[in-house]
Amino acid sequence: MSSDWDAARPLEDASLHASSQTLASLSSPAYWRALAAATTAASPGGPLRCDDAAAQAAAAPVRLPAHRLHDLREQVNRAGVAQATPQELCLPHVAALARGVEGVLRAGWPASFVIMYDETWALIEALREVMAASTGNAVNMDVLAWLVDPRRGDAGFSPHRDRQPDDAAATFRGDGSPLYATAWVALTDADPCNSCLYVVPSYADPGYLEGDPEDEDAPDPLARALSTKESYQHIRALPTPAGGAALFTHRIIHWGSRGRPGHPVPRVSLSFGCADDAYEAPYFDGSHLPFPPLRLRLALACAQQLIYHERFLATARQLTLFHDAFKAQAGDFDPGYAKKVRAEFLGALKDHEARKRSGGGGKAGGAPAPAGPNGGGAAAKAEPQHQQQRAAAGRKRGAAAAAAAAAAAEQPAAEAAPAKRGRATRAAKPAAREDSSPATAVKGAAAKSGRKQPSAAAKAKGKGKGKQRRGEGGGEGGGSGGDDEDDEGEGGDGLMRALEEARAAAAARKKAGSSAGGGGDGGGDGSGSDGELVDAALEEMLDAAAGSDGSGFDLQDDYED
């Protein structure tokens, strides 16, 4: 990629910009082909392709010698990380995909929308057998693309782990191989000048297998690993030339550095997760690989943006579009993943409302946020290790509160108006709030703290539910119809109705208070401002969405660099 890279450069054809697209246009390969022609025509091999039979027929897995695969597996098992060179992998479409990331950014989409193109899936297919042999895991569709531009002062995310299970040791097999691992592929050279990865090897990290203490006053996991001056010498930089890959487990502490100011070439990368089904189910059925149909690619791209909404700011219009695109295909996704997407959609709306009230942007219909450190808007920083620990503790403290909120949310609208349900939710949470802040209580209720190993019964229940949803027809089928009705209420029209009712109730009280001589934002009854009512409605529905999953798929911290 040349030094003239500029993801903010306007498209010559403004009709291709994200702000002009609809769900119908995004669902057509014609749009993505036109965008590729406008942005990647100069790439090696020509424009990126979408739903192209010839491109798909050319895909093939990389086959490394058995001794090299054994070596990679030993490194992953002993240190938690291994690297493979561009020369041995010979991955396809690397330079073209780097340009593809630039192209989707120029069009106003997050970098991860590069998964709409066949070349992304061809690259994943190329590494599939390498990941299976070196980690024992299969592609689970947790795909993301990133961009770090040192000219903007960008940096990768701060030190973190990708998963925080309750029992860390149980997420490894007897030979030390992980039940979850990530393949991180450099699409441009990644080095200290433009941000490369750094890791603390597993043998230097006491929390890698033991787990991290959840006490609020416990030391940060990174501080535990780097407790002496000598321990800093364990830190390993992972400079990776374009086309090379880093393979690492879900428990290794890793981060992205800050590049040298003014360095002209950004770091562009693509990552995808691989998991054992017993630990984390694939987001959709693996039979759709290596080239998922366009409808599933779009649904996945949109779902990933909702799940990672704290790092990729989006307008109200974009959030709605992402939600609608995923909802149209939700029946083809793992029930636990679909539940997580719905919960994160509610969280994204709550954050959007907060930004709008504080004057921080996010106005409906506005232009997308400018490209941030990872090419998808102003990305939030990764949660520090000690906050991950506190979130885990908060999840346990908030379990009872979440159940109470979920029960309140299930009341018919005629029995409890949104404003009353919001107050009931707050009243149901005194125990949680004695020990933690409201934000921590919400995090606890949403269970955004780790991937818990499901019980055998939970696994069976989750698998049964998955089969039922995938087999649903025209709304018949007993309990599955109820699930669909819940989905509507949690993520779509029901949510917006609740918001509108909350706003209307607040406006009516304010008007009544003014006419009666009352004062304050809450009107005459002193029940609080419109913003507080909306917060309560959203918090209640978020708790309800997270508190009654039953699928064996807990919400989790997914901090990928």
Side-chain angles (χ1 to χ4, degrees):
M1 179 177 286
S2 63
S3 60
D4 64 353
W5 177 89
D6 184 4
R9 186 168 73 254
L11 296 172
E12 293 183 6
D13 184 354
S15 69
L16 295 174
H17 194 269
S19 59
S20 300
Q21 305 314 311
T22 65
L23 183 55
S25 65
L26 296 181
S27 302
S28 169
Y31 168 72
W32 299 103
R33 292 168 184 166
L35 179 59
T39 58
T40 66
S43 300
L48 293 180
R49 290 165 286 186
C50 179
D51 200 21
D52 183 274
Q56 296 179 13
V62 171
R63 290 190 167 88
L64 298 181
H67 68 86
R68 178 57 173 147
L69 292 173
H70 176 77
D71 178 56
L72 289 173
R73 189 177 184 101
E74 286 296 301
Q75 290 187 54
V76 170
N77 292 357
R78 293 178 180 177
V81 63
Q83 284 183 279
T85 67
Q87 292 75 21
E88 63 184 337
L89 293 178
C90 298
L91 294 176
H93 315 303
V94 171
L97 283 171
R99 282 293 185 185
V101 170
E102 177 191 25
V104 295
L105 289 170
R106 289 180 60 197
W109 299 113
S112 295
F113 271 64
V114 76
I115 72 174
M116 298 303 296
Y117 293 109
D118 296 339
E119 285 81 357
T120 298
W121 297 98
L123 187 148
I124 292 172
E125 171 65 9
L127 276 175
R128 176 179 56 82
E129 290 188 4
V130 172
M131 288 299 289
S134 59
T135 71
N137 300 318
V139 175
N140 81 330
M141 274 61 81
D142 190 1
V143 187
L144 293 168
W146 308 91
L147 186 143
V148 175
D149 188 353
R151 294 174 298 179
R152 295 194 302 249
D154 293 352
F157 285 108
S158 59
H160 63 278
R161 306 186 193 278
D162 284 345
R163 297 291 189 273
Q164 283 281 24
D166 288 344
D167 185 352
T171 61
F172 292 86
R173 303 181 184 91
D175 64 353
S177 60
L179 296 182
Y180 188 99
T182 295
W184 187 95
V185 181
L187 301 179
T188 59
D189 291 345
D191 56 44
C193 287
N194 69 348
S195 178
C196 66
L197 295 183
Y198 288 76
V199 302
V200 177
S202 60
Y203 52 75
D205 176 8
Y208 183 82
L209 286 176
E210 295 177 9
D212 301 315
E214 295 185 356
D215 298 337
E216 292 193 10
D217 58 351
D220 183 278
L222 185 63
R224 289 183 70 202
L226 305 178
S227 59
T228 66
K229 291 190 296 183
E230 291 76 17
S231 61
Y232 280 80
Q233 294 175 305
H234 288 300
I235 295 174
R236 184 188 301 178
L238 302 179
T240 308
L247 320 178
F248 51 88
T249 78
H250 60 305
R251 292 295 297 162
I252 196 164
I253 297 176
H254 61 287
W255 63 94
S257 63
R258 187 176 299 280
R260 173 173 61 81
H263 186 75
V265 180
R267 183 258 277 174
V268 186
S269 56
L270 179 82
S271 72
F272 63 94
C274 295
D276 188 308
D277 285 1
Y279 176 64
E280 188 167 304
Y283 295 170
F284 53 74
D285 196 280
S287 63
H288 293 295
L289 295 175
F291 293 95
L294 192 64
R295 60 184 179 82
L296 290 185
R297 300 185 202 182
L298 178 61
L300 178 64
C302 292
Q304 292 288 82
Q305 296 310 304
L306 293 174
I307 286 175
Y308 292 87
H309 68 87
E310 292 179 346
R311 277 166 282 164
F312 304 115
L313 296 186
T315 65
R317 181 181 184 277
Q318 287 175 319
L319 290 175
T320 301
L321 188 64
F322 295 160
H323 168 262
D324 291 348
F326 177 76
K327 183 179 175 182
Q329 308 299 329
D332 286 321
F333 282 77
D334 173 76
Y337 180 74
K339 190 77 170 182
K340 179 178 180 180
V341 173
R342 291 195 298 271
E344 293 297 342
F345 171 63
L346 298 179
L349 282 180
K350 181 178 174 69
D351 290 349
H352 172 77
E353 288 289 324
R355 288 196 304 273
K356 187 166 65 174
R357 290 197 304 274
S358 66
K363 295 181 179 179
N374 294 291
K381 294 182 179 179
E383 188 174 16
Q385 290 284 314
H386 70 278
Q387 291 183 12
Q388 293 187 23
Q389 298 171 50
R390 291 177 183 175
R395 171 173 50 81
K396 294 181 178 179
R397 290 194 300 271
E410 291 173 357
Q411 296 180 31
E415 296 178 12
K420 294 182 180 179
R421 292 205 307 270
R423 289 196 295 272
T425 300
R426 288 195 292 272
K429 294 190 175 184
R433 295 194 177 189
E434 287 176 3
D435 297 330
S436 60
S437 68
T440 303
V442 172
K443 283 187 178 181
K448 293 177 63 179
S449 59
R451 175 69 167 93
K452 184 187 294 183
Q453 285 292 93
S455 65
K459 288 180 186 177
K461 184 175 181 181
K463 290 180 180 178
K465 185 177 179 182
K467 292 179 181 178
Q468 185 180 45
R469 289 180 64 88
R470 282 190 289 271
E472 287 170 5
E476 301 290 334
S480 63
D483 287 343
D484 284 348
E485 291 174 3
D486 288 345
D487 294 351
E488 290 282 337
E490 290 167 5
D493 296 339
L495 172 64
M496 302 315 296
R497 281 197 301 271
L499 287 173
E500 291 305 319
E501 289 169 5
R503 289 194 178 101
R509 279 193 301 275
K510 188 170 184 178
K511 182 177 180 180
S514 298
S515 62
D521 291 338
D525 64 359
S527 60
S529 68
D530 167 71
E532 290 172 337
L533 289 171
V534 172
D535 278 351
L538 282 171
E539 184 173 320
E540 175 198 35
M541 285 181 280
L542 177 59
D543 288 348
S548 57
D549 186 347
S551 67
F553 189 113
D554 284 350
L555 305 188
Q556 59 204 5
D557 283 326
D558 291 330
Y559 290 108
E560 303 274 358
D561 183 87

